[in-house]
């Protein structure tokens, strides 16, 4: 098996999968490794809902804006911030949980996301391909219904998993110096922004994006097409209501 540095350096998101199933034992091993991830106070305030059933995947698909990975991947994993199980344990043991607030949501969301990322690395180390779905936080209200998530549980991300049917080119990253700061934050000058984003802006695929969306810059593709303010505001309102309904805003 490749060593961890090779796995991390060579990884890329996989959005096309073969029809070969993921063996249950392999999936369990991967999830077991995932659960070794650091977790706040060793509370493990997360849950993973595994979806393999075709009908359930079809129900989830529109909530992920019909991204084809949801129905084509053999396994869909929904990672949830989950204080429900821990709260129940506390109450059974005559301990009063104080986890109905935003900080506790963040705690459990951080736990769930760290778990998700370790599961992804473990899966990639076994030769599987993964794709995160950011749509989970847009439609958390409906995912809660479909997956029957009780109060105290909020889906925070979804990962599709399967054997790769493609080896796409690796996509670009900003140079390391763009994202690191020594000792204190060294804020960016206009010139440093221009230089850090130059390679990304000059790429033929970026220029193609700009052209096909009739925009003037790559940044406009993000602000006006892919991640628009109106959408962000709309989905923020839904997510805040989800946090309230699931019992994380009692303060
Ligand atoms: C939180 C999160 C949400 C994402 N959501 C989606 C998504 O909804 N659809 C998709 O195709 N890729 C999604 N991705 C994958 C990113 O597009 C991908 O990681 C990024 O373009 C870099 O590509 P790479 O992973 O191949 O290096 C998501 C990644 C993250 C971390």
């Amino acid at each position: 098996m490749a060593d961890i540095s090779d796995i991390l350096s060579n990884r890329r998101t996989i959005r096309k999968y073969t029809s070969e199933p993921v063996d249950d034992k392999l999936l369990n091993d991967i999830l077991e490794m995932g659960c070794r991830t650091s977790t706040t106070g060793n509370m493990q305030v997360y849950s993973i809902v595994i979806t393999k059933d075709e009908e359930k995947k079809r129900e989830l698909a529109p909530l992920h804006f019909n991204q084809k990975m949801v129905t084509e991947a053999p396994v869909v994993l929904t990672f949830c911030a989950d204080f429900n199980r821990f709260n129940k344990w506390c109450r059974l043991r005559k301990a009063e949980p104080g986890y109905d607030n935003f900080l506790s949501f963040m705690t459990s969301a951080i736990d769930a996301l760290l778990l998700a990322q370790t599961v992804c690395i473990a899966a990639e180390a076994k030769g599987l391909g993964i794709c995160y779905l950011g749509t989970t936080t847009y439609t958390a209200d409906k995912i809660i219904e479909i997956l029957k998530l009780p109060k105290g549980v909020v889906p925070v991300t979804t990962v599709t998993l399967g054997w790769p049917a493609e080896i796409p080119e690796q996509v670009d990253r900003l140079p390391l110096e763009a994202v690191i700061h020594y000792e204190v934050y060294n804020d960016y000058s206009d010139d440093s922004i221009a230089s850090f984003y130059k390679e990304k802006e000059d790429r033929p695929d970026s220029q193609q994006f700009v052209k096909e969306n009739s925009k003037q810059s790559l940044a406009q593709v993000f602000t006006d097409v892919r991640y628009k303010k109106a959408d962000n505001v709309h989905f923020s309102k839904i997510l805040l209501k989800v946090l309230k309904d699931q019992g994380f805003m009692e303060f």
Side-chain angles (χ1 to χ4, degrees):
M1 190 198 288
D3 104 322
I4 187 76
S5 310
D6 292 337
I7 293 160
L8 295 176
S9 307
N10 295 322
R11 69 155 301 281
R12 73 275 326 266
T13 289
I14 300 294
R15 298 182 175 85
K16 289 198 176 106
Y17 309 97
T18 69
S19 53
E20 194 185 338
V22 177
D23 177 72
D24 283 347
K25 159 96 174 63
L26 176 62
L27 180 58
N28 270 341
D29 288 350
I30 288 165
L31 297 176
E32 197 87 69
M33 285 187 266
C35 288
R36 293 314 316 173
T37 305
S38 299
T39 154
T40 310
N42 205 12
M43 291 188 288
Q44 294 189 261
V45 278
Y46 50 65
S47 281
I48 309 164
V49 181
I50 303 172
T51 307
K52 293 205 273 188
D53 177 65
E54 298 300 329
E55 178 54 36
K56 213 67 189 161
K57 284 196 250 164
R58 274 195 293 276
E59 284 181 59
L60 283 175
L63 310 183
H64 294 293
F65 303 171
N66 293 315
Q67 298 190 79
K68 61 186 178 9
M69 300 78 87
V70 178
T71 45
E72 291 179 5
V75 179
V76 178
L77 300 173
T78 306
F79 291 87
C80 303
D82 182 356
F83 255 106
N84 174 50
R85 180 179 59 248
F86 195 77
N87 285 345
K88 285 193 163 168
W89 177 63
C90 289
R91 291 198 177 102
L92 276 172
R93 297 292 175 257
K94 299 195 177 358
E96 185 49 40
Y99 312 119
D100 54 359
N101 42 65
F102 185 66
L103 184 75
S104 301
F105 167 69
M106 285 302 296
T107 298
S108 52
I110 290 167
D111 262 24
L113 292 169
L114 295 176
L115 164 69
Q117 183 53 20
T118 309
V119 166
C120 288
I121 295 169
E124 289 172 335
K126 297 286 187 189
L128 287 156
I130 67 96
C131 182
Y132 275 96
L133 302 179
T135 31
T136 309
T137 42
Y138 296 7
T139 60
D141 54 340
K142 302 207 173 69
I143 293 174
I144 284 169
E145 276 177 39
I146 300 289
L147 300 182
K148 304 191 190 315
L149 306 179
K151 210 164 169 164
V153 185
V154 175
V156 289
T157 199
T158 300
V159 171
T160 56
L161 185 70
W163 296 105
E166 60 166 0
I167 310 177
E169 289 285 306
Q170 274 195 312
V171 300
D172 65 295
R173 289 292 194 271
L174 296 175
L176 186 62
E177 53 175 330
V179 300
I180 58 175
H181 304 263
Y182 292 97
E183 315 305 342
V184 294
Y185 193 98
N186 182 21
D187 204 357
Y188 303 91
S189 64
D190 292 357
D191 282 351
S192 67
I193 292 287
S195 118
F196 289 147
Y197 282 85
K198 181 170 178 10
E199 194 193 320
K200 187 186 278 291
E201 290 177 327
D202 287 350
R203 290 171 60 91
D205 54 348
S206 298
Q207 293 187 354
Q208 181 65 23
F209 259 156
V210 176
K211 204 169 145 205
E212 66 198 24
N213 288 292
S214 308
K215 292 290 158 192
Q216 289 157 334
S217 69
L218 182 63
Q220 286 183 355
V221 177
F222 284 87
T223 59
D224 302 358
V225 183
R226 297 189 63 193
Y227 302 97
K228 290 186 282 199
K229 173 158 181 157
D231 293 345
N232 293 337
V233 169
H234 173 72
F235 291 119
S236 292
K237 287 180 182 159
I238 294 174
L239 187 56
L240 280 170
K241 182 169 184 308
V242 164
L243 297 192
K244 179 135 195 50
D245 293 348
Q246 295 305 89
F248 281 111
M249 298 294 265
E250 302 306 318
F251 58 93

